[in-house]
Amino acid sequence: MTDMAMLSHALTRLDEAARHIEVDPEVLEKLRHPKETLTTRLTIRMDDGSRRSFTAWRCRYDDTRGPTKGGIRFHPSSTVGEVSTLAFWMTFKCAVMNLPYGGGKGAVQVDPRGLSRAELERLSRAYVQAFASMIGPDRDIPAPDVYTNSMIMGWMADEYSSMVRQPSPAVITGKPIPLGGSLGRDDATARGGFYLVKHLETELGLDKSAKRVVVLGYGNAGVHIARLLHADGYKIIGISDSRGAIVSADGLDPDAVLDAKDAAGSVSAYAKSGRARVVAADELLAVECDLLVPAALEDQIHIDNADSIRTKVILELANGPVTKEADALLEAKGIVVLPDILANAGGVTVSYFEWVQNRQGYYWSLAEVHQRLKTIMEAEGRHVWNIHLEKKAAMRTAAYVHALQRLSDAIAAHGTQAYFTN
């Protein structure tokens, strides 16, 4: 897929949603284009004394409903098209969850695994220096994403605070707890997806199933969803990461698999215990299960492998893990896809909680964070499910309809051509 083709494909979701509700053409025109995108080069001093520069981006897609919100990823394959698409998805994700945010996203084209910790800190601070006029607690609030973490967010918040000469914890979310981070942020993406599955368990036919789960991607979201489902009685029968995949009909212990990965660099190392066998990635995708959880990067499920999938439900914890062509095939097979803009929205929701706590200077207990997240995930999940039934539309389309209605109301509240010419 070419760079900007990714955004073009994402915009087809907008067009599909617009066919189900009455939307002013001005709304669609506004949502077809990012509001603001900045590209720059970050130049830092390396440990050996040399200088290197890296391409970086920040996109603020739409801020009609509030300041933009979205992660920053450090990845060698990042492009401006990817960043714009992710910002578009964030716009709709925040609207689905009824958060007072628009969508944003940022990236640096770099493999952070090739940097020392000191070089990583310099790069993180350079990012804030370059985009300081674009971000801010009331304008654009970044967060961690692929290959970034709480430590990096702490460096970024510190750099911004130094530049504005006052503590500004609300400029960044996903920070370490001692620096203003929120309890519950570490597993928020997975926990939100877990609450969604549990709330719709009966409707999805999972309440009486064998509850077999396959997790694609064993980073933060994959590990936490495996733990949560395992503790609830689901059987994790397959796990993969970028370097290998394992299966076990008897079930896998999520923590034991993580220990093996940490020790040897891949989940496949767990097979040495004799309690699992190594399989190819495509073979794992075809394992019969009740719940399939893509939790890595975009386009994991595509037209060439979607037909082999044998599951009841797909829970998208990754952003954009299913291509548009695969979506149609999965729908024809009767597989329910719980879409990313709803299923993985627990992360941005608890990021919102962190922002609120930073601004009010009062911090909530872990139980309060979990309960607030559960309430929102269940309420919005139920709204989307009802739209899915009412419109006889796929859950992805229903989620976009739900978000588009809120975005449409906000954009139209400023006045449209019909208002000004009446």
Side-chain angles (χ1 to χ4, degrees):
M1 189 181 297
T2 61
D3 190 19
M4 296 312 293
M6 187 177 180
L7 179 58
S8 296
H9 276 239
L11 289 171
T12 63
R13 312 290 194 191
L14 171 64
D15 295 331
E16 175 64 24
R19 285 194 279 271
H20 291 273
I21 55 175
E22 186 174 340
V23 182
D24 192 284
E26 290 186 16
V27 172
L28 301 180
E29 174 65 19
K30 191 172 193 295
L31 292 173
R32 288 190 198 283
H33 310 281
K35 177 172 182 172
E36 178 182 20
T37 306
L38 177 61
T39 303
T40 191
R41 297 284 290 181
L42 308 180
T43 302
I44 64 169
R45 184 74 63 186
M46 308 302 286
D47 290 346
D48 64 2
S50 66
R51 289 164 69 88
R52 280 184 65 191
S53 61
F54 306 88
T55 304
W57 302 271
R58 187 71 190 171
C59 174
R60 299 177 64 245
Y61 199 94
D62 184 84
D63 62 357
T64 307
R65 287 172 46 86
T68 48
K69 184 85 185 73
I72 300 169
R73 61 176 51 182
F74 289 176
H75 197 279
S77 300
S78 288
T79 65
V80 67
E82 175 193 61
V83 170
S84 300
T85 304
L86 290 164
F88 169 83
W89 285 335
M90 279 298 299
T91 300
F92 279 77
K93 189 181 299 185
C94 291
V96 163
M97 302 305 287
N98 205 21
L99 306 178
Y101 286 146
K105 208 72 181 184
V108 181
Q109 194 177 71
V110 60
D111 186 348
R113 295 168 295 186
L115 301 181
S116 71
R117 290 177 180 178
E119 290 166 343
L120 191 60
E121 180 178 6
R122 290 180 210 124
L123 185 66
S124 302
R125 291 181 182 276
Y127 187 93
V128 173
Q129 292 165 13
F131 294 98
S133 63
M134 200 168 185
I135 66 175
D138 296 301
R139 194 169 193 273
D140 180 46
I141 304 110
D145 198 79
V146 177
Y147 290 147
T148 56
N149 55 29
S150 62
M151 176 73 79
I152 290 172
M153 295 304 107
W155 290 332
M156 289 184 171
D158 179 67
E159 188 66 25
Y160 183 86
S161 296
S162 297
M163 295 178 74
V164 300
R165 302 291 192 271
Q166 63 183 28
S168 302
V171 69
I172 301 271
T173 61
K175 303 179 296 296
I177 300 298
L179 299 180
S182 175
L183 296 173
R185 180 62 183 85
D186 56 343
D187 71 350
T189 299
R191 186 171 290 276
F194 172 73
Y195 287 151
L196 178 65
V197 167
K198 289 299 294 179
H199 183 63
L200 297 176
E201 204 172 41
T202 300
E203 290 84 347
L204 296 170
L206 295 174
D207 57 330
K208 295 186 176 73
S209 72
K211 297 187 177 182
R212 299 160 300 175
V213 181
V214 170
V215 179
L216 308 176
Y218 215 52
N220 178 276
V223 170
H224 283 298
I225 194 65
R227 285 171 170 165
L228 289 164
L229 290 169
H230 178 72
D232 193 61
Y234 282 71
K235 182 184 290 187
I236 314 302
I237 62 170
I239 294 175
S240 70
D241 60 20
S242 60
R243 297 182 179 180
I246 54 174
V247 296
S248 171
D250 295 328
L252 299 163
D253 180 331
D255 289 320
V257 174
L258 180 60
D259 289 342
K261 176 181 177 176
D262 289 343
S266 174
V267 299
S268 59
Y270 182 76
K272 295 178 181 178
S273 68
R275 295 190 293 272
R277 62 184 177 90
V278 175
V279 296
D282 285 346
E283 185 180 347
L284 177 63
L285 203 63
V287 169
E288 185 176 356
C289 61
D290 301 286
L291 179 64
L292 179 66
V293 186
L297 294 174
E298 297 84 19
D299 300 341
Q300 284 179 279
I301 299 172
H302 45 79
I303 194 64
D304 294 325
N305 61 23
D307 195 43
S308 67
I309 292 174
R310 296 183 296 164
T311 189
K312 292 181 178 179
V313 180
I314 294 176
L315 175 70
E316 292 188 336
L317 288 190
N319 288 314
V322 179
T323 66
K324 187 174 187 297
E325 295 78 12
D327 237 355
L329 200 158
L330 294 171
E331 185 176 1
K333 287 164 65 80
I335 297 172
V336 177
V337 178
L338 299 176
D340 49 3
I341 63 169
L342 171 66
N344 71 25
V348 70
T349 302
V350 177
S351 277
Y352 166 63
F353 296 166
E354 181 176 333
W355 180 73
V356 169
Q357 292 170 84
N358 290 159
R359 291 170 69 88
Q360 68 182 5
Y362 179 79
Y363 292 81
W364 309 337
S365 69
L366 182 60
E368 287 177 293
V369 171
H370 286 172
Q371 185 56 54
R372 290 172 191 263
L373 174 61
K374 185 173 185 286
T375 298
I376 293 176
M377 288 301 306
E378 291 182 352
E380 302 307 332
R382 180 58 57 182
H383 278 307
V384 172
W385 183 262
N386 289 341
I387 293 170
H388 154 71
L389 296 178
E390 177 191 344
K391 305 290 185 182
K392 296 180 173 58
M395 280 290 283
R396 188 183 312 284
T397 299
Y400 274 90
V401 168
H402 189 40
L404 180 57
Q405 187 64 68
R406 285 173 170 160
L407 286 161
S408 176
D409 291 345
I411 293 169
H414 290 295
T416 61
Q417 181 180 18
Y419 171 81
F420 286 106
T421 57
N422 192 342

